[in-house]
Amino acid sequence: MTDSQTGVGSAKKYSVSELLTNPNEVDLKTLLLLPAMAFMTALFLGGVIMFVSGVDFTNIAFSYRALLVGSVGSVFALSETLVAAAPLIIAGLSVAIGFRSGLFNIGAEGQILTGGMAALAVGFSFPELSIWVHLPLSLLAGAIVGAVWGGIAGWLRAVTGAHEVISTIMLNFIALRLVDFSLKTDFFQKTGRNDPISKSVLDSALLPDLLTWIDPQLRVNAGILIAFLVVFLIGWLLFRTTIGFEFRAVGANPDAARYAGIRIGWTFTATMAVAGALGGLTGGVQVLGVLERASPGFSSGIGFEAIAVALLGRAHPTGVLFAGLLFGALEAGGRQMQVDTNVGIDLITIIQSLVIVFVAAPILIKSLYPFAFREHAK
Amino acid sequence: MKYGMLYGALTALPLIFASATAQAQDFKACQVTDTGGIDDKGFNETAWKGAERAGEALGAEVKFLESQAETDYQPNIGSFIDEGCDVIVTVGFLLGDATATAAAANPDVDFTIVDFAYSPTIDNVIGQVFNTQEAAFLAGYLAAGMSETGTVGTFGGINIPPVTVFMDGFVWGVEWYNAARSASVQVLGWDPDSQEGLFTNNFESLDDGRTFAQNLFDENADIVMPVAGPVGLGAAALADELGTDQLKIIGVDADQFFTDPEKQHVYLTSVLKRMDATVFNAIELSQSGNFEGGVIVGTLANDGVGLAPFHDFDSAVPARLSGEIAALQNGIINGSIVPGQ
């Protein structure tokens, strides 16, 4: 690939959708440097916002130090970062794979909820199973139900042309209320409780903790390993299989893809089913690894943060992995910021949002830091 | 630690004072809020007041972490253990499981939880529970007496005992009024027998508070008691717009006349739950080394719960009604009246 093909500084201009659908043709500079610059700019602006809201310089410095210490400064911090990152990575891939086919999956939230409930149901039933059967079975149940939930939106798009943004948002609401309802049924509700809280997952379906032999406070569980595995699998699916090629072809140019004999409708449904399976798996990982039971709205916005993760990771599995780790670090570090300096957790949300704004506006970042993106004549 | 020593060195001359300060500075009391947030003008804020008071009166270092979702409970508690907190205050029934787990794993740390009593008790946990129905009973009686439409309403955040105990007492108070005055005031939103009623299913959405109050108002209720933390502020906003001749609000947890000063005129009264006192007590016990696992129960008799003054409505409440309420209060304190029986 020559530099002129990257479009930086040349006559060719990037559009965001182009970056999203063809990131495999974007060089490392754009994949890593741009988000890094966006992140630094967001941190700087976050500092400005803190200053304006009455935090003095020492405390701003302390806050960012706490952010660093709280995310990577100790084994405990790293463990918390990984716990927060695992669901973000898997759900981020769910959104990313949609982007690849030109679909905007806003429905990860609903897929997490329905998949999580399915994983939970299998997880608290069947007391006699061994962990080698019970845990995979629970995760599989989550992925399958998530796939169905996501597939509905893809199928509606394929058959009726209903836009997936609308249908996935609506499916989110339905899932949210379905969880509220289910948690009050005898099957799900914890015995002896009046409030909507579910039975607990049996030990044989819990994702094993990885580091509790060092310190029982370390919550990192096998969910992060599943996340790594899924990153690899989705990379393989997208770039090494025919299905993945079809996904990308439809995303790049549906008309050309149809002309080439790809069944667009089927691809939409399949993409959303895979995205839904990943969403459902996220729900399973949360319920079986972190929560161990379900309560109303247990997805707690992961499905929406996942959109940001997918955007930041430019819908590339490796990019999503790093974006998920970064967002996980922000979450864990944000907690430490609050402990050390009483700077509200809301500021972290502002910084995350600023990162996304800057990543979505590559031209802006490039014009802010022309030196970093300058082309070198060969 | 380094800063503590530096601080000690700087204040080395008045030696006794310095060592006292250093010792006090070493004691950390840390509070994990529920999802309503530290500034919810009620539940979490009241509990935090207790911690702040401990900070001033006992010289303890106080910190808080806001839970934004139920997924935050465990990591927030974990952060405070990592931080080396001496006593961790968890605010809310929903933190019950997370607190018990953390307490079992960290026997050296003292815990105290608002609105949860463990049975059997845990050695390093003090549970704080409240006979809120006693105070809510008085509020129900007052509401029944003040209602012009003959209908009052209530709604809750989540169907958990510390919420529904308010609603129980409120309904019983109205029923007591109906029996005493041969009236037929209706209560919407809660049935103490079936334990079912109106719930927003969250402790965050002010919009929900507004909608639920509007629904009750549409059903003729002119006094509403929202038991849902900051959600109730949405109901107060509606009452502010409609005017207090149309809709009055009964606050909960704190005296919302003071905590919500912009809308203070809409609060007929508030059902007080003095978590600030019990939180302060627990922190004090932990600092003095007299901490023992068990339960603190707040009642009308020990001022753990109570009915706030009527403030702006003082002149509007008939003397006969306020007299009866005072008599009921005495009856509950001396045990001759038991709400719900």
Side-chain angles (χ1 to χ4, degrees):
Chain A
M1 187 186 292
T2 66
D3 275 330
S4 68
Q5 269 178 306
T6 66
V8 181
S10 69
K12 188 185 170 198
K13 288 218 171 76
Y14 270 119
S15 72
V16 175
S17 63
E18 196 177 348
L19 280 171
L20 287 174
T21 47
N22 295 321
N24 47 319
E25 289 158 24
V26 173
D27 64 345
L28 202 65
K29 206 177 216 182
T30 325
L31 192 64
L32 291 180
L33 193 60
L34 192 75
M37 288 295 190
F39 181 61
M40 296 308 290
T41 314
L43 278 187
F44 174 75
L45 273 182
V48 172
I49 290 171
M50 274 196 266
F51 184 71
V52 171
S53 63
V55 184
D56 60 37
F57 279 118
T58 345
N59 264 329
I60 294 175
F62 266 132
S63 299
Y64 282 142
R65 189 174 151 268
L67 188 63
L68 195 67
V69 171
S71 52
V72 294
S74 66
V75 184
F76 176 76
L78 279 171
S79 157
E80 286 299 313
T81 294
L82 292 178
V83 169
L88 289 173
I89 293 169
I90 308 176
L93 288 169
S94 161
V95 180
I97 204 155
F99 281 147
R100 287 306 181 128
S101 295
L103 294 173
F104 210 154
N105 176 21
I106 315 275
E109 191 80 357
Q111 295 146 15
I112 291 172
L113 287 168
T114 49
M117 289 304 274
L120 172 77
V122 176
F124 68 62
S125 312
F126 313 114
E128 302 297 321
L129 294 180
S130 97
I131 187 168
W132 298 104
V133 181
H134 201 181
L135 177 57
L137 200 65
S138 307
L139 288 170
L140 188 68
I144 289 173
V145 170
V148 171
W149 203 253
I152 293 173
W155 179 77
L156 284 173
R157 169 76 190 265
V159 175
T160 68
H163 202 286
E164 77 282 356
V165 168
I166 311 278
S167 53
T168 49
I169 291 178
M170 292 307 135
L171 284 166
N172 283 347
F173 285 124
I174 296 172
L176 198 62
R177 295 308 167 202
L178 214 54
V179 170
D180 285 356
F181 168 77
S182 307
L183 288 175
K184 294 287 275 181
T185 59
D186 289 343
F187 178 67
F188 278 105
Q189 194 171 24
K190 188 171 179 175
T191 339
R193 287 279 285 262
N194 244 333
D195 55 320
I197 189 143
S198 80
K199 293 172 184 148
S200 298
V201 176
L202 297 168
D203 284 350
S204 55
L206 289 177
L207 283 162
D209 290 328
L210 300 178
L211 297 177
T212 33
W213 51 276
I214 300 178
D215 178 350
Q217 282 297 316
L218 301 175
R219 299 194 302 148
V220 63
N221 61 63
I224 191 70
L225 302 181
I226 292 179
F228 291 151
L229 184 71
V230 169
V231 167
F232 176 78
L233 280 178
I234 294 300
W236 173 79
L237 176 80
L238 276 175
F239 302 117
R240 295 280 179 274
T241 68
T242 317
I243 295 178
F245 175 75
E246 290 183 1
F247 284 7
R248 287 183 292 133
V250 170
N253 188 335
D255 293 331
R258 181 182 289 121
Y259 191 70
I262 296 173
R263 287 166 297 166
I264 307 285
W266 183 87
T267 311
F268 279 156
T269 313
T271 307
M272 284 306 291
V274 174
L278 291 172
L281 185 65
T282 311
V285 165
Q286 273 303 84
V287 167
L288 306 176
V290 177
L291 300 169
E292 300 176 14
R293 65 182 65 78
S295 50
F298 64 88
S299 50
S300 62
I302 290 169
F304 298 120
E305 270 185 72
I307 299 171
V309 170
L311 281 167
L312 183 62
R314 314 202 80 85
H316 190 287
T318 317
V320 169
L321 172 67
F322 285 113
L325 288 171
L326 177 68
F327 270 54
L330 282 175
E331 201 176 313
R335 205 171 288 132
Q336 190 66 36
M337 245 168 105
Q338 217 187 343
V339 172
D340 281 5
T341 60
N342 281 355
V343 169
I345 194 98
D346 301 331
L347 187 80
I348 292 298
T349 317
I350 292 179
I351 291 176
Q352 284 177 338
S353 312
L354 285 171
V355 172
I356 302 312
V357 170
F358 288 125
V359 171
I363 313 282
L364 177 63
I365 286 294
K366 280 172 187 164
S367 59
L368 277 174
Y369 307 100
F371 54 89
F373 295 94
R374 191 173 299 136
E375 278 182 74
H376 301 287
K378 282 198 178 142
Chain B
M1 201 58 222
K2 212 162 54 184
Y3 293 102
M5 281 164 65
L6 184 66
Y7 192 67
L10 285 173
T11 51
L13 274 182
L15 204 62
I16 300 161
F17 176 74
S19 61
T21 313
Q23 187 196 4
Q25 283 285 322
D26 281 346
F27 188 83
K28 276 186 198 167
C30 306
Q31 180 160 332
V32 178
T33 76
D34 206 341
T35 52
I38 197 87
D39 50 358
D40 62 358
K41 304 194 192 305
F43 186 61
N44 291 297
E45 191 171 319
T46 309
W48 176 239
K49 253 183 214 146
E52 276 184 319
R53 195 147 64 80
E56 287 158 21
L58 309 173
E61 187 185 345
V62 291
K63 290 169 177 292
F64 70 87
L65 274 176
E66 286 186 36
S67 301
Q68 301 207 309
E70 294 194 21
T71 35
D72 289 343
Y73 297 158
Q74 209 189 343
N76 281 350
I77 296 172
S79 291
F80 275 150
I81 290 167
D82 196 49
E83 178 73 14
C85 295
D86 299 276
V87 56
I88 297 177
V89 184
T90 55
V91 185
F93 177 83
L94 295 174
L95 284 90
D97 292 338
T99 307
T101 315
N106 300 278
D108 299 341
V109 182
D110 291 338
F111 288 84
T112 178
I113 178 165
V114 176
D115 277 347
F116 207 104
Y118 296 97
S119 124
T121 56
I122 306 173
D123 282 347
N124 55 335
V125 185
I126 292 182
Q128 308 170 23
V129 289
F130 300 86
N131 288 349
T132 325
Q133 76 278 9
E134 297 178 352
F137 180 84
L138 303 177
Y141 195 94
L142 171 71
M146 292 295 288
S147 172
E148 283 160 27
T149 59
T151 306
V152 297
T154 182
F155 63 87
I158 296 179
N159 190 341
I160 47 177
V163 168
T164 56
V165 71
F166 277 91
M167 300 160 86
D168 281 339
F170 188 73
V171 174
W172 292 331
V174 173
E175 285 170 354
W176 194 274
Y177 179 87
N178 286 343
R181 296 265 193 110
S182 314
S184 55
V185 177
Q186 295 235 329
V187 195
L188 304 174
W190 181 242
D191 179 350
D193 297 323
S194 67
Q195 293 284 304
E196 291 293 336
L198 281 179
F199 291 94
T200 57
N201 276 326
N202 69 72
F203 289 118
E204 297 113 58
S205 167
L206 270 63
D207 285 342
D208 281 356
R210 193 191 171 84
T211 315
F212 276 61
Q214 179 77 52
N215 289 346
L216 288 168
F217 175 74
D218 290 344
E219 295 291 324
N220 235 359
D222 62 348
I223 298 174
V224 168
M225 180 179 78
V227 193
V231 175
L233 301 176
L238 179 72
D240 181 43
E241 278 167 38
L242 292 171
T244 50
D245 51 328
Q246 298 287 314
L247 181 66
K248 302 176 191 58
I249 301 296
I250 293 179
V252 292
D253 298 324
D255 186 346
Q256 296 198 288
F257 182 86
F258 294 118
T259 56
D260 187 17
E262 284 149 36
K263 308 263 176 349
Q264 58 180 208
H265 57 279
V266 308
Y267 295 102
L268 173 59
T269 182
S270 297
V271 179
L272 305 175
K273 183 166 146 185
R274 298 223 168 83
M275 289 152 287
D276 48 343
T278 46
V279 166
F280 180 84
N281 269 350
I283 294 175
E284 195 176 29
L285 286 172
S286 174
Q287 193 183 22
S288 64
N290 297 321
F291 195 95
E292 248 177 74
V295 182
I296 302 178
V297 184
T299 63
L300 265 187
N302 67 11
D303 263 343
V305 299
L307 196 67
F310 309 138
H311 300 293
D312 286 1
F313 291 97
D314 229 358
S315 53
V317 178
R320 182 184 163 197
L321 187 61
S322 53
E324 284 169 347
I325 289 171
L328 286 175
Q329 175 155 359
N330 287 332
I332 294 173
I333 290 173
N334 68 29
S336 60
I337 297 171
V338 179
Q341 284 181 10

